Amino acid sequence: MPAAFRAWWLPGLLLGLSLQFRAGVEACSCAPAHPQQQLCASAIVIRAKVISEKVVPASDNTADTQKLIQYEIKQIKMFKGFDKVKDVQYVYTPHDSSLCGVRLDANKKKQYLLSGQILDNGKVFITLCSYIEHWDDLSSLQKKNLNHRNHMDCTCRITTCYTVPCSVSAPNECLWTDWLIERKLFGHQAQHYACVKRSDGTCGWYWAGLPLEKEFIDISEP
């Protein structure tokens, strides 16, 4: 396993409350995160169509038995990562799902929103902990946000509320209550709201369908 791959992948295996993807007796664990957080943590965000896939060695070292899936893609639009790459032709993921490998559909030429990291060798790397969605499954407001502010408002912090009582602890925090209210993480709030900084420096939930000069719509603390 290449050093660059190890350095990025290992911090993503977080303990505590997590979403677990089982593969045999091993598992990939990803800390729950609002899509805005995932986009902020990503080095690259693109819209792409998957063309083909093949299994390739993880490194040039013949003693390395790790494998990667190389997805050939057609990049449709880049939302983040312009400063590092211009046009992405391939994305890589671990072959094993226990190592957070992602399975994309290469047969139907589906379009995806892909977010991930850029390794030292320039390869784009994605995992189950990345924010990856079928393009057609995104709400119209999520698509609009990609072109404007959703991955740029990274000075705000989103705190997940699982049980009551819960509250924010700093002016730059927004309380994410999808799990508490809907018993699912990616509910109405994740799909239709962005945590945006106000002119006074505080952060609040903002319905993405309104222009920024309109009033913020705050969700009160549970």
Side-chain angles (χ1 to χ4, degrees), residues 72-87:
E72 181 184 2
I73 65 168
K74 176 180 175 55
Q75 178 179 303
I76 298 172
K77 187 169 185 178
M78 182 177 290
F79 303 102
K80 186 178 182 181
F82 310 96
D83 56 327
K84 299 179 177 66
V85 293
K86 301 303 180 186
D87 184 59

Side-chain angles (χ1 to χ4, degrees), residues 16-38:
L17 185 62
S18 64
L19 301 176
Q20 296 187 336
F21 303 87
R22 295 291 178 184
V25 296
E26 298 180 0
C28 163
S29 299
C30 307
H34 188 279
Q36 182 175 332
Q37 292 172 293
Q38 291 176 297

Side-chain angles (χ1 to χ4, degrees), residues 94-191:
H95 182 262
D96 295 330
S97 57
S98 61
L99 299 180
C100 299
V102 179
R103 295 296 179 265
L104 303 180
D105 190 345
N107 296 320
K108 298 182 179 179
K109 307 296 189 294
K110 288 188 175 181
Q111 293 186 25
Y112 288 88
L113 175 69
L114 301 174
S115 70
Q117 304 300 322
I118 302 173
L119 305 184
D120 292 341
N121 57 13
K123 290 182 177 179
V124 175
F125 201 80
I126 62 175
T127 71
L128 284 171
C129 299
S130 308
Y131 186 57
I132 297 172
E133 290 283 355
H134 287 119
W135 183 257
D136 290 341
D137 290 342
L138 296 173
S139 69
S140 59
L141 298 179
Q142 285 177 307
K143 293 176 182 178
K144 180 181 178 180
N145 251 1
L146 285 165
N147 289 302
H148 297 286
R149 66 185 70 86
N150 201 35
H151 62 275
M152 294 185 291
D153 289 312
C154 298
T155 55
C156 294
R157 190 167 64 188
I158 298 174
T159 301
T160 309
C161 179
Y162 300 109
T163 59
V164 290
C166 57
S167 61
V168 297
S169 58
N172 68 330
E173 289 185 31
C174 294
L175 202 60
W176 183 22
T177 58
D178 275 343
W179 179 258
L180 182 70
I181 296 172
E182 302 181 44
R183 284 296 181 260
K184 62 181 180 180
L185 283 173
F186 302 110
H188 185 79
Q189 194 177 5
Q191 293 177 3

